[in-house]
Amino acid sequence: NKTDAISFELYPWATCSTNNFSHADRIRSVTIPDIDTTSIPETAQFGMCAGDFTEVYANDHDRFDVVAASFFLDTAHNIIEYIELIYNMLKPGGHLVSLGPLLYHYAGMPNQPSLEIPWEDVLSIIKQVGFVIEEIEDIADVPYIENNLSMVSVLYKCKFFVARKPTS
């Protein structure tokens, strides 16, 4: 998952014709990656994989020290399935670190199952699965994939939490 020092220039707002203060705002570029990934130590273990999360990681028991879930848990058809899978993926003593809203991406989509439960139930399930909650924080005004120079801004009220899988 590394690139050389070469970055790629993209124009993500070039086709957005509304809510622009200027032409320059619309045609400005962004560069990815925004860091030189060759500077990441070879010993660093970071992974990312495309595919259905529940299928890709179904057999990865006690494999990870940390699972970082940024705007992720609500992408599930069934959030309980994600929480249980992450618990199984973590080594004893491992942590789930999560930030995000509960938008539930499949809500209201025809022919798509979607379990949509409020935060209080999500928290209860996290504990019932076996996690120990170490930190919970409400974080307001969190942007997600946004053009910060647009006349429109969508901000989320998110939950940030750290949950630990017990060692025994």
Side-chain angles (χ1 to χ4, degrees):
N1 293 338
K2 292 188 176 189
T3 64
D4 54 21
I6 297 172
S7 293
F8 302 94
E9 194 170 24
L10 302 175
Y11 297 85
W13 302 286
T15 61
C16 297
S17 60
T18 61
N19 294 304
N20 293 297
F21 287 105
S22 72
H23 291 290
D25 293 346
R26 180 176 166 192
I27 60 170
R28 75 184 193 288
S29 66
V30 296
T31 305
I32 59 168
D34 58 355
I35 62 165
D36 179 0
T37 59
T38 61
S39 65
I40 299 172
E42 289 296 324
T43 56
Q45 293 184 352
F46 171 81
M48 189 172 107
C49 183
D52 182 316
F53 179 71
T54 58
E55 292 175 11
V56 171
Y57 294 103
N59 298 314
D60 287 330
H61 299 286
D62 298 331
R63 180 173 172 201
F64 299 99
D65 294 309
V66 175
V67 171
S70 178
F71 280 72
F72 177 70
L73 293 179
D74 64 342
T75 66
H77 287 281
N78 180 338
I79 193 169
I80 299 170
E81 189 176 23
Y82 271 25
I83 293 166
E84 291 173 338
L85 178 57
I86 291 169
Y87 185 87
N88 290 331
M89 292 166 56
L90 288 169
K91 295 177 184 176
H95 288 85
L96 165 59
V97 180
S98 180
L99 170 72
L102 293 175
L103 183 61
Y104 293 115
H105 295 243
Y106 294 101
M109 292 180 94
N111 304 316
Q112 293 292 328
S114 180
L115 178 61
E116 301 142 20
I117 56 178
W119 167 249
E120 64 185 352
D121 292 342
V122 172
L123 179 60
S124 177
I125 290 162
I126 290 167
K127 292 175 182 177
Q128 288 174 24
V129 164
F131 280 107
V132 175
I133 302 298
E134 294 190 339
E135 182 178 350
I136 298 177
E137 186 177 342
D138 292 326
I139 301 181
D141 300 334
V142 179
Y144 181 74
I145 309 178
E146 134 176 307
N147 177 354
N148 63 338
L149 297 181
S150 172
M151 297 172 98
V152 172
S153 178
V154 176
L155 300 173
Y156 291 91
K157 294 178 182 176
C158 294
K159 283 291 187 179
F160 169 80
F161 70 91
V162 178
R164 179 179 40 85
K165 180 178 180 177
T167 55
S168 57

